[in-house]
Amino acid sequence: MGESRNQWDGLIVGASLATLDGAHGYGAIENGALGWKDGLLTFVGPRDALPGDPITLADEVIEAKGWITPGLVDCHTHLVFAGDRAGEFEQRLQGASYEEIARSGGGIVSSVRATRGASEEELLVQSLPRARALIADGATTLEIKSGYGLDFDGERKMLRVARRLGEKLGVMVRTTYLAAHALPPEYAERADDYIDAVVEWLPKLHAEGLVDAVDAFCERIGFDAAQTRRVFEAARALGLPVKLHADQLSDGQGAALVAEFDGLSADHVEYTSEDGVKAMAAAGTVAVLLPGAFHVLRETRLPPLAAFREHGVPMAVATDCNPGTSPLLSLRQAMQLACTHFRLTPEEALRGATVNAAKALGLADRGALKVGMRADFALWDIDRPAELCYWLGGRLAQAVYASGRRLM
């Protein structure tokens, strides 16, 4: 076959566009047109501004209705794991707290046992349906953390599975090293020794191309600020960006700590102080809101949303997909929960799952519909963008594209 003479690989016409191009508003274009070539957007604008007949412009022309948004970016997940923790869900409903369950051998450590016991292939098979569910509801970029291995082989296995998921499903996966997630049983009462091991494993895994960023759980049931700082210093020595599970259960000044290291994001942040917010603003650190965990744990302490707005801290929204506290398989549902629990506007929630989520991963090539950006987008069966946060569940995505290739 000869090479195509058309300008573009694909073109969708007729649907409205929520470009999110600009600091405020949806950047709406009614009766729009979206063209792409070689995985990048080549035209974003009104249909009547196309430089010719659509048939002459692209190899594939699709007439569509509804709305097109940037592909959703899930910037905080733990979706690679084995087993589940439905039993702990029942315990919490009967009155046990998250901390009580963790201290009695449940929580993260129970997922560690199951994940260590699974082969790499078993872990891949169990994780694939979760990743596919996120993609089916509009996600085109996934962040996936380790943290259920808590030994070198287990962490390596998780990160390898995360990489394989991206390759198999055709989406970008950003891997995050989270060995400082919990203290494994073999290091009981020896947290500093365990941090020594975490720091030792990092360069080995980085050398294998398995680590894009480094995270830690800085909390009274996790690791203290001094231990977290050691992990961050090891990341800095390798030129790796950092992020942090910060101030979820108490104000451990985690947000200020990650900002000190110019961190990409501080995540959870329910107890972050005004000083922490100011530090994040100065560093350009994104606040990642995780309403799934807030919902499942039936928390009542809201993140300092007014302070984030006042100081111009970007707010991202993510699923925190994990087996214990946020078994959430839809980023759109996370957006809905962010509106319901945190009172975000639908526009803020959509920006949180696109523009700001991309920023939380250090990615400047996605999150908005602009010429030159990656052709990552979702076509939705909706009449207005607010519906993405209005409907509880259901199937709204007509099609999802990553780098111009249709995923579903």
Side-chain angles (χ1 to χ4, degrees), residues 247-271:
D247 309 330
Q248 178 186 8
L249 305 173
S250 62
D251 181 11
Q253 301 181 359
L257 174 60
V258 72
E260 180 186 333
F261 283 80
D262 297 317
L264 292 174
S265 67
D267 302 27
H268 287 291
V269 295
E270 281 91 337
Y271 285 83

Side-chain angles (χ1 to χ4, degrees), residues 131-397:
R132 288 190 172 118
L134 292 172
I135 292 168
D137 217 11
T140 54
T141 302
L142 304 175
E143 186 261 13
I144 301 178
K145 304 178 190 296
S146 67
Y148 295 132
L150 306 189
D151 59 17
F152 179 78
D153 291 339
E155 294 292 292
R156 182 175 183 268
K157 177 173 62 178
M158 290 187 69
L159 293 167
R160 283 176 52 85
V161 168
R163 282 278 189 255
R164 290 177 64 186
L165 285 171
E167 294 164 1
K168 191 173 185 68
L169 298 176
V171 297
M172 176 177 281
V173 168
R174 302 292 284 181
T175 55
T176 299
Y177 177 64
L178 181 59
H181 194 196
L183 192 63
E186 62 269 26
Y187 280 90
E189 308 298 330
R190 295 191 297 125
D192 286 330
D193 290 342
Y194 179 63
I195 292 298
D196 287 342
V198 169
V199 169
E200 179 185 347
W201 302 333
L202 176 57
K204 299 176 184 178
L205 295 170
H206 179 50
E208 293 187 34
L210 294 176
V211 180
D212 295 320
V214 175
D215 195 351
F217 186 30
C218 185
E219 191 55 77
R220 58 196 177 203
I221 60 170
F223 298 94
D224 63 29
Q227 291 159 347
T228 301
R229 182 180 295 277
R230 290 177 56 203
V231 176
F232 282 0
E233 287 171 348
R236 175 184 281 173
L238 294 169
L240 287 168
V242 298
K243 55 185 63 182
L244 187 64
H245 285 64
D247 309 330
Q248 178 186 8
L249 305 173
S250 62
D251 181 11
Q253 301 181 359
L257 174 60
V258 72
E260 180 186 333
F261 283 80
D262 297 317
L264 292 174
S265 67
D267 302 27
H268 287 291
V269 295
E270 281 91 337
Y271 285 83
T272 296
S273 67
E274 181 90 8
D275 287 343
V277 173
K278 291 178 180 177
M280 291 172 65
T285 299
V286 176
V288 177
L289 307 179
L290 303 172
F294 184 93
H295 177 78
V296 170
L297 294 175
R298 295 180 294 169
E299 296 287 357
T300 57
R301 173 68 175 248
L302 294 173
L305 303 164
F308 289 144
R309 293 186 180 107
E310 178 185 352
H311 295 288
V313 175
M315 292 184 289
V317 177
T319 62
D320 192 18
C321 173
N322 75 71
T325 61
S326 189
L328 180 55
L329 297 177
S330 165
L331 183 47
R332 189 177 60 78
Q333 184 67 67
M335 293 160 56
Q336 202 285 333
L337 292 172
C339 292
T340 300
H341 288 308
F342 299 160
R343 304 297 192 269
L344 264 62
T345 66
E347 180 205 331
E348 284 180 319
L350 180 56
R351 285 184 175 275
T354 53
V355 179
N356 293 339
K359 182 176 174 61
L361 295 180
L363 300 173
D365 63 346
R366 70 203 68 199
L369 300 179
K370 295 195 294 186
V371 171
M373 301 281 268
R374 275 174 56 109
D376 290 2
F377 57 90
L379 171 62
W380 305 93
D381 185 16
I382 56 175
D383 294 324
R384 57 189 61 80
E387 288 186 59
L388 296 175
C389 298
Y390 166 70
W391 292 106
L392 286 160
R395 184 71 170 269
L396 299 185

Side-chain angles (χ1 to χ4, degrees), residues 6-30:
N6 288 334
Q7 296 182 40
W8 307 326
D9 298 330
L11 173 65
I12 298 179
V13 294
S16 297
L17 310 179
T19 67
L20 303 181
D21 187 6
H24 303 286
Y26 290 112
I29 299 173
E30 295 186 3

